[in-house]
Amino acid sequence: MTTRTLRRRGTAAAALVSLVALTFAACGGDDSDEPSELDPDADLSKQTIVVSNWADYMPPDIAEKVEQETGAKVEITEHATNEDMVAKVVGSGGEGLDVVFGSQPYLQAFAEEGLLEPLDTEYLENWDSLDPKAQDLAEVDDQPYFAPYTWGTTGICYRTDLVDEAPTSWYDLLEPEEQYRGKITMMGTERWAVLPAQKALGYSVNTTDEDEMEDVKELMLAAKPHLLAYDDTTFYERLVSGEAVMVEAWDGWCNYGIAENPKIDFVVPEEGSDLWVDAIGILKSSENKEAAYAFVDTILDPENHAWASENILYNVPNDEAVSLLPEKLTEQYATLGARREEMLQGENMVDIGDASSLYNRIITEVTASDE
């Protein structure tokens, strides 16, 4: 196993509307849903692509591998969040970037606005190594637009030695027992801030119903006094130190805690949760699409794709890559092994369009409340 980099997942999803909708028009996206015609005999040694990704989110030698295997040159740039990635694409009018990593709702919005290249999977030899479910999740209007790279779910990460019983419900966070009050964190931004209340109330993580979201707000307001903090970045560290006993967490980030303390475990509450996807898209504005396809295909090679699970402890939608993982790894991190199927039962989190403003308003009202 290579040296593990505990990467922090960039926040994703809900400020999408304000950033994306306001700026896509300025980009002048092409709404054609037909893949560009590629030259199968293109000399890739004459093509250079620029890839934007989160830091430490792919093999550090991937640019060298792509050049060795295809001749194409790869320059890497980084973005901290999905919003940063959108700003880079918008700020450049789509110029200067060829490939972007982003969370599914963002790339879905890119596709809908004509900024993303529809994929001709005939040019991706490793496309069939992807889980069929992941292939379906990559489609917008029945056309694949991006390559799923990692996927996971959100649940409760907890200290087995500091709670009397393992949590089973989102209400264990929202309406905690007296002894756990002040020792719980929940995420405070974007789609994950509202997720526990949505699922506890039996609503979809993609609901756009204003009455349902009003119920969500009221439940969040009632829960707030019992929280230690809203925390999207250091929650697993609070768990490791014992400052918190239960936290809302992504499965991969809970694994970071497990790496430091084996008395930490992860559970998907009985009401269910989400299935989020981070993916790779080719911008329609790219003038080096053959090289862009070569990069995506190299990433999807099972030996390269397995790097993500080995090093950032996230699931990858590639069964052959999963089969390459060391047995010790899947034993230590159950969400990568025996409990992986449980993770895949989540509700896919998708772009909610204009309803993002409703989510933002509710989150702001709850986090700003003095209650």
Side-chain angles (χ1 to χ4, degrees):
M1 178 178 168
T2 57
T3 302
R4 179 178 302 123
T5 300
L6 298 186
R7 184 196 159 271
R8 297 195 172 160
R9 182 160 187 262
T11 55
L16 192 61
V17 67
S18 57
L19 188 55
V20 175
L22 287 175
T23 52
F24 276 163
C27 287
D30 175 0
D31 60 1
S32 170
D33 58 1
E34 293 297 324
S36 298
E37 187 172 340
L38 301 179
D39 178 2
D41 300 318
D43 182 356
L44 298 189
S45 67
K46 296 180 178 178
Q47 294 192 12
T48 299
I49 59 169
V50 180
V51 176
S52 186
N53 194 359
W54 292 286
D56 304 321
Y57 206 40
M58 60 185 171
D61 60 348
I62 195 68
E64 289 81 1
K65 285 185 177 179
V66 172
E67 184 168 4
Q68 289 172 3
E69 295 175 11
T70 72
K73 297 178 179 60
V74 180
E75 297 177 4
I76 308 295
T77 67
E78 295 178 354
H79 53 258
T81 66
N82 281 302
E83 289 81 2
D84 292 340
M85 180 271 291
V86 172
K88 289 173 69 172
V89 173
V90 169
S92 66
E95 301 295 327
L97 285 174
D98 298 274
V99 176
V100 294
F101 284 69
S103 296
Q104 180 188 7
Y106 287 81
L107 296 188
Q108 181 184 357
F110 273 24
E112 291 168 346
E113 297 295 335
L115 291 179
L116 212 60
E117 175 72 15
L119 294 181
D120 184 344
T121 58
E122 294 296 319
Y123 285 90
L124 296 171
E125 292 183 2
N126 291 304
W127 180 260
D128 287 341
S129 68
L130 288 172
D131 187 294
K133 184 174 183 178
Q135 294 178 357
D136 290 342
L137 296 177
E139 293 187 356
V140 177
D141 295 333
D142 299 323
Q143 172 71 47
Y145 271 86
F146 42 81
Y149 178 60
T150 59
W151 57 3
T153 194
T154 308
I156 300 176
C157 191
Y158 66 101
R159 283 281 296 266
T160 60
D161 56 332
L162 298 181
V163 298
D164 294 333
E165 296 181 5
T168 59
S169 166
W170 287 115
Y171 282 107
D172 288 314
L173 297 181
L174 295 162
E175 296 177 356
E177 295 181 18
E178 182 70 29
Q179 65 267 35
Y180 304 136
R181 294 178 181 180
K183 300 178 181 178
I184 289 170
T185 71
M186 298 178 70
M187 297 183 197
T189 59
E190 308 190 344
R191 303 286 291 276
W192 293 280
V194 297
L195 183 151
Q198 287 176 320
K199 300 308 283 188
L201 292 166
Y203 300 151
S204 166
V205 296
N206 301 309
T207 183
T208 57
D209 185 289
E210 293 191 13
D211 290 338
E212 290 184 354
M213 289 305 293
E214 190 64 25
D215 294 341
V216 167
K217 184 182 80 172
E218 293 304 316
L219 184 53
M220 291 175 69
L221 286 171
K224 185 178 178 182
H226 308 313
L227 298 181
L228 169 64
Y230 290 112
D231 187 348
D232 296 78
T233 56
T234 65
F235 49 84
Y236 89 85
E237 292 164 337
R238 292 177 188 267
L239 202 61
V240 170
S241 71
E243 182 184 14
V245 299
M246 287 186 282
V247 300
E248 180 191 3
W250 295 301
D251 50 351
W253 280 34
C254 189
N255 286 339
Y256 301 167
I258 294 171
E260 298 185 26
N261 187 334
K263 294 180 180 176
I264 292 176
D265 201 357
F266 178 83
V267 63
V268 177
E270 60 193 10
E271 298 93 347
S273 189
D274 65 335
L275 172 61
W276 57 258
V277 179
D278 286 345
I280 319 166
I282 299 173
L283 292 178
K284 187 166 284 186
S285 57
S286 171
E287 296 180 352
N288 300 290
K289 290 191 174 66
E290 290 85 0
Y293 270 79
F295 172 84
V296 173
D297 203 39
T298 304
I299 285 280
L300 297 183
D301 179 276
E303 290 191 3
N304 294 326
H305 209 171
W307 179 95
S309 287
E310 285 194 71
N311 290 275
I312 57 178
L313 304 180
Y314 284 9
N315 277 285
V316 294
N318 184 325
D319 287 342
E320 188 173 345
V322 171
S323 72
L324 299 175
L325 298 180
E327 188 174 344
K328 286 180 61 176
L329 189 77
T330 56
E331 288 177 352
Q332 182 176 3
Y333 305 105
T335 57
L336 299 179
R339 289 160 58 188
R340 184 169 177 268
E341 291 304 314
E342 178 185 34
M343 178 275 296
L344 296 177
Q345 294 173 9
E347 180 187 6
N348 185 220
M349 186 178 283
V350 299
D351 177 30
I352 53 173
D354 292 344
S356 290
S357 60
L358 170 64
Y359 279 52
N360 288 336
R361 176 179 62 77
I362 287 174
I363 293 167
T364 299
E365 289 177 0
V366 171
T367 55
S369 169
D370 293 330
E371 294 183 25

